[in-house]
Amino acid sequence: MEKRQLGRSGLRVSRMALGTMTWGGDTDSEEAAGQLVAFVDAGGTLVDTADIYGEGESERVLGALLGDLVPRDDIVLATKAVARRTDGPFGGGASRGALLSALEGSLRRLGTDHIDLWQLHAWDTTVPVDETLAALEYAVTSGKARYVGVSNYCGWQLATAAARSSAVAPLVSTQVEYSLLERGVDREVVPAAEHHGIGILPWAPLGRGVLTGKYRSGTPADSRGASSVFAGYVEHHRTDRAARIVQAVATAADGLGTSPLAVALAWVRDRPGVVAPVVGARDTGQLTGSLTAEEITLPPAIRSALDDVSAIEVGYPERGL
């Protein structure tokens, strides 16, 4: 698998990341092991989790697999903090106390002495950004985090944090929802990331599963759309506009002799500023399907057609005068 620089940092990662949101829940430890081995065998290195996934169970499952199954040094280990779980003074959020407490918890669950990429899961309106950034700097200078980034920041939040971060702990990544069905970040987040040299890690690059085409004629019983937990998550992208885009993706896939999944993933992977889409999978077979995108480069005509069918309105001032 091809490697890419993460923003302007010296960190190189695989151009696809393995997401683990369902590990320890819908994905048991045996299936997680199969996914991790398949991903690493394909040349993947970036594995992403968060302290809130399964209330920490995702981190525990991943941590148990590192060392014996896959060498720790073969993995670029990424996790996130800022989840609010309790009402105590250090129960969550982006305060110094909450962040450093969350970092220690993640290190313990992952069974490691450092995180390769530690990310803020969300902007916290209740905490001064300088306090939050100081906690990131401490994490880096203490050696407990090698690099730091953010997730789910809008354009002004990303630009503010990037401009105020220190040279010791600059932001190197931003993780945002980005796909043919969700292009809102094209307005301000992508330009801000490119200006500040921050790599983009798209989550839900397959439009929460809708871009695979599996929902074109209904809701498969074994899909997330049929789950009481994820039904609303998937339904968000089941619109008339989405149906037109999915049809265009399916047409492109037929012409290229590949899957809609591979086409959708290749499109977002090669967008300006994107480093590595974060792909989650129900099982190893589904992950293997995503890995086939590594073999696909979209012809300019198909890329242009997909750009057009998925285009969003960009108004003033983003479009200029």
Side-chain angles (χ1 to χ4, degrees):
M1 191 179 298
E2 183 181 317
K3 305 301 187 294
R4 291 173 171 174
Q5 299 294 130
L6 188 57
R8 291 191 190 131
S9 77
L11 181 60
R12 296 178 70 248
V13 301
S14 54
R15 65 174 183 172
M16 184 186 299
L18 177 61
T20 66
M21 183 175 69
T22 62
W23 286 21
D26 291 346
T27 303
D28 62 27
S29 57
E30 182 177 351
E31 180 56 48
Q35 290 187 24
L36 183 61
V37 169
F39 180 69
V40 172
D41 284 350
T45 60
L46 180 56
V47 182
D48 180 74
T49 185
D51 63 353
I52 197 174
Y53 294 167
E55 293 295 324
E57 198 59 30
S58 173
E59 289 183 328
R60 290 189 190 94
V61 169
L62 177 55
L65 298 177
L66 297 179
D68 293 335
L69 186 67
V70 173
R72 169 66 178 88
D73 291 343
D74 288 354
I75 295 297
V76 177
L77 186 58
T79 193
K80 312 178 202 71
V82 188
R84 292 192 176 277
R85 291 186 301 278
T86 70
D87 294 327
F90 303 119
S95 69
R96 179 184 177 89
L99 284 174
L100 298 185
S101 176
L103 178 59
E104 294 298 335
S106 289
L107 291 170
R108 183 174 60 252
R109 288 186 292 272
L110 289 164
T112 186
D113 63 357
H114 72 279
I115 306 298
D116 296 309
L117 177 62
W118 192 42
Q119 304 154 100
L120 303 176
H121 214 152
W123 179 271
D124 189 339
T125 60
T126 68
V127 178
V129 67
D130 288 337
E131 177 180 340
T132 298
L133 295 173
L136 296 188
E137 183 171 343
Y138 171 80
V140 172
T141 56
S142 67
K144 295 179 179 181
R146 298 292 193 256
Y147 295 90
V148 291
V150 297
S151 181
N152 300 311
Y153 276 33
C154 67
W156 73 262
Q157 292 167 347
L158 179 63
T160 298
R164 298 179 78 98
S165 63
S166 72
V168 174
L171 300 184
V172 303
S173 68
T174 181
Q175 193 172 142
V176 288
E177 183 173 6
Y178 194 14
S179 73
L180 280 160
L181 301 186
E182 180 52 83
R183 295 186 57 184
V185 295
D186 280 332
R187 294 187 178 96
E188 293 190 348
V189 174
V190 172
E194 291 190 286
H195 178 76
H196 289 283
I198 295 171
I200 300 169
L201 304 174
W203 61 264
L206 299 175
R208 310 189 185 193
V210 175
L211 286 165
T212 64
K214 70 174 70 175
Y215 298 106
R216 293 173 71 188
S217 58
T219 302
D222 62 346
S223 69
R224 286 184 178 180
S227 162
S228 60
V229 176
F230 288 106
Y233 173 82
V234 174
E235 196 66 26
H236 177 76
H237 285 318
R238 297 181 72 176
T239 64
D240 291 340
R241 172 181 177 270
R244 292 192 295 272
I245 296 170
V246 171
Q247 180 58 52
V249 170
T251 300
D254 287 342
L256 294 172
T258 188
S259 67
L261 181 156
V263 169
L265 197 53
W267 179 88
V268 72
R269 181 198 66 206
D270 294 331
R271 291 290 294 171
V274 168
V275 175
V278 181
V279 177
R282 182 179 64 252
D283 53 43
T284 305
Q286 194 177 69
L287 176 62
T288 300
S290 295
L291 293 172
T292 62
E294 182 66 17
E295 305 166 5
I296 302 296
T297 299
L298 298 181
I302 288 180
R303 175 167 289 280
S304 179
L306 293 176
D307 289 349
D308 290 345
V309 75
S310 65
I312 59 171
E313 183 177 352
V314 178
Y316 174 85
E318 292 90 354
R319 69 166 186 264
L321 295 176

